[in-house]
Amino acid sequence: MENPKPKIDQVKAISGKAEARFSSGIAETEGVAVARPAKARNVGGTRYTAAEIHEIFRRFSVQRPEPKGELEHVNPFTLLVAVVLSAQATDAGVNKAARALFKVADTPEKMLALGEANVGDYIRTIGLWRNKAKNVIALSEALIDRYDSVVPDDRDELVKLPGVGRKTANVVLSMAFGQSTMAVDTHIFRIGNRLGLAPGKTPEEVEARLMKVVPSEYLYHAHHWLILHGRYVCKARKPDCPACVIADICKAAEKTSEIPAPLVPLPPQVIDLG
């Protein structure tokens, strides 16, 4: 991004010397004009400069160096099924139910052979289990018929599968294929709008803005950091600003502190993606 053309506001002579004056891009000192960097500008619909965003995610990376998802899986197929099952359910609950299921059905063929009723028996403790059992069988059949039983590593293809939305597809692309995605859940949607980091009326708008403004070196873990920050610090009902490591940078209207919490690594925390 090029700096705007600098301008000189005014020069005042005091005791034979020019008073230092600053304008949008020039400093005048001792009668000599010296170029000065223009004020950083916000891009991508965010309220933050690129430097501020970089610092936000640098701090998150120090606080939680290696965030990990909680869902247990043995291959991309079982991960896909686990994420489908996790909608409106806790990851711990999904793991408890799916652990036994995956021991007998870890491929689309085995899942299809198991049948909808038997799958339902395994996942009966999970919310909306009837509809989820139906979707698991349908997506298993679709994988066999359309993709040679291989989970596609493409979002457009993943969302064609029964029970798979954009968020589910993004989680699978990240966890199974190592792609940098932004799986926008309620926490990320809230933070994007509350902080003005990536405001949007829909999850897709928030996702697009975050993908644009988050520095590439932090993008892979960014959605994990934002989920954890939203769950444990920037909570829905009342933000815990004294515990926030970015309190001095945050531009949320309701923040209650300008002093950031100590930046120290936290014990490993898993991320519930349900």
Side-chain angles (χ1 to χ4, degrees), residues 87-258:
Q88 300 182 50
T90 66
D91 286 0
V94 171
N95 288 338
K96 184 176 180 180
R99 204 171 287 136
L101 173 63
F102 294 156
K103 286 182 179 179
V104 298
D106 59 357
T107 68
E109 289 83 1
K110 292 178 182 178
M111 194 70 73
L112 186 60
L114 195 60
E116 183 179 331
N118 288 326
V119 170
D121 287 340
Y122 279 100
I123 65 171
R124 194 176 292 268
T125 57
I126 301 174
L128 306 175
W129 64 272
R130 289 185 177 86
N131 191 55
K132 290 177 180 179
K134 181 178 180 179
N135 282 335
V136 167
I137 292 300
L139 73 83
S140 297
E141 188 171 18
L143 286 171
I144 294 169
D145 293 342
R146 300 183 219 162
Y147 303 102
D148 296 325
S149 300
V150 177
V151 175
D153 60 356
D154 178 85
R155 183 184 296 107
D156 292 338
E157 297 302 320
L158 282 169
V159 296
K160 294 177 184 177
L161 296 170
V164 178
R166 189 175 182 89
K167 176 194 166 187
T168 295
N170 281 334
V171 171
V172 172
L173 291 174
S174 173
M175 293 182 64
F177 301 109
Q179 296 185 25
S180 295
T181 62
M182 189 61 61
V184 176
D185 69 346
T186 56
H187 297 297
I188 295 180
F189 186 76
R190 179 177 70 255
I191 288 175
N193 283 286
R194 175 187 278 170
L195 274 62
L197 182 62
K201 295 181 179 179
T202 65
E204 288 76 16
E205 288 182 7
V206 172
E207 176 189 340
R209 283 186 168 148
L210 285 171
M211 291 296 292
K212 185 174 183 180
V213 303
V214 175
S216 59
E217 64 265 39
Y218 298 124
L219 190 55
Y220 180 71
H221 285 311
H223 72 289
H224 287 155
W225 289 322
L226 290 171
I227 289 170
L228 288 168
H229 189 66
R231 177 172 287 118
Y232 298 111
V233 181
C234 201
K235 303 172 186 178
R237 289 189 177 183
K238 184 179 179 182
D240 187 4
C241 296
C244 179
V245 296
I246 62 168
D248 55 325
I249 305 174
C250 175
K251 301 181 191 297
E254 58 264 60
K255 79 171 182 178
T256 59
S257 175
E258 295 282 351

Side-chain angles (χ1 to χ4, degrees), residues 18 43 46 60 62 65 68 75 79 103 132 162 168 187 195 222 235 254 271-272:
V43 295
T46 182
F60 286 161
V62 172
K68 297 183 183 299
N75 55 36
L79 173 63
K103 286 182 179 179
K132 290 177 180 179
T168 295
H187 297 297
L195 274 62
K235 303 172 186 178
E254 58 264 60
I271 298 126
D272 189 321

